Amino acid sequence: MAAKKDKQQEKVMENRKARFDYTIGDTLECGMVLGGGEVKSVRQGQVSLGEGYVRAQMDPPALFLHGVNIAEYAPARADNPTSPLRTRKLLAHRREIARLFKSQQIKGNTLVPLKVYFKNGYAKCLIGVGTGKTKGDKRESIKERESKREIARATSRRA
């Protein structure tokens, strides 16, 4: 029987900028529709989520991932060339899409990709409903982060 891969071996690509720029409310795990070369690129961690966003539509119900750069997989480039910035479809239930569509319509809300990872061999994207932070909110989160670092340093010196 073949040994299972370690959980740490699979790469998780996070959008840390989204957590800094937005206050994240609801989150939802969606499947991703990818081609073969794109799957291999995601496994290698060649994904940039920084500029990405998600759009929900109701006719027909669907979620689309825009602005996420998945680099071309070099060996598969000649066979089936794809654009690294193409729009990709996300898979979710109709009720979930309707809920996200309603929250997207509220002024100031945006659907942002937070993580891309593999679960049971399938590519997944964690998306969240983000409300934009003001400059003051961003400064506050920087202060919190720095104070947590100071506390961690102080406790590590004592131990």
Side-chain angles (χ1 to χ4, degrees):
M1 184 179 246
K4 286 192 173 185
K5 291 183 181 178
D6 292 337
K7 293 284 182 186
Q8 294 152 355
Q9 200 172 17
E10 293 289 341
K11 293 185 180 182
V12 175
M13 286 61 67
E14 286 198 53
N15 188 356
R16 295 192 329 240
K17 185 179 177 187
R19 298 243 184 230
F20 181 73
D21 289 340
Y22 300 98
T23 303
I24 305 298
D26 291 342
T27 59
L28 176 67
E29 181 183 73
C30 300
M32 296 178 71
V33 178
L34 300 173
E38 291 175 325
V39 172
K40 292 179 181 185
S41 282
V42 171
R43 284 197 190 277
Q44 290 179 347
Q46 297 178 339
V47 178
S48 173
L49 296 172
E51 307 82 33
Y53 61 96
V54 177
R55 285 279 166 240
Q57 70 179 35
M58 286 308 297
D59 260 347
L63 292 172
F64 292 101
L65 183 63
H66 298 270
V68 171
N69 188 348
I70 298 179
E72 289 185 14
Y73 183 64
R77 189 179 314 151
D79 298 339
N80 190 10
T82 57
S83 171
L85 287 172
R86 75 176 181 89
T87 302
R88 291 166 180 90
K89 189 170 184 178
L90 298 177
L91 306 173
H93 290 285
R94 185 171 287 162
R95 285 184 310 270
E96 295 166 339
I97 294 172
R99 183 173 49 93
L100 290 174
F101 181 77
K102 287 177 186 172
S103 63
Q104 170 186 293
Q105 296 301 316
I106 298 171
K107 185 173 181 172
N109 282 359
T110 307
L111 301 176
V112 288
L114 301 173
K115 289 183 186 178
V116 173
Y117 54 93
F118 280 89
K119 185 175 179 182
N120 298 329
Y122 294 103
K124 301 287 183 176
C125 181
L126 182 70
I127 61 174
V129 178
T131 306
K133 286 185 181 179
T134 62
K135 193 177 265 187
D137 293 337
K138 291 179 184 180
R139 288 181 182 149
E140 194 173 299
S141 60
I142 290 171
K143 285 180 187 176
E144 282 180 30
R145 185 175 61 217
E146 288 178 357
S147 66
K148 286 180 182 178
R149 277 191 198 147
E150 299 268 338
I151 292 169
R153 283 185 197 139
T155 56
S156 66
R157 288 180 194 153
R158 290 182 192 166

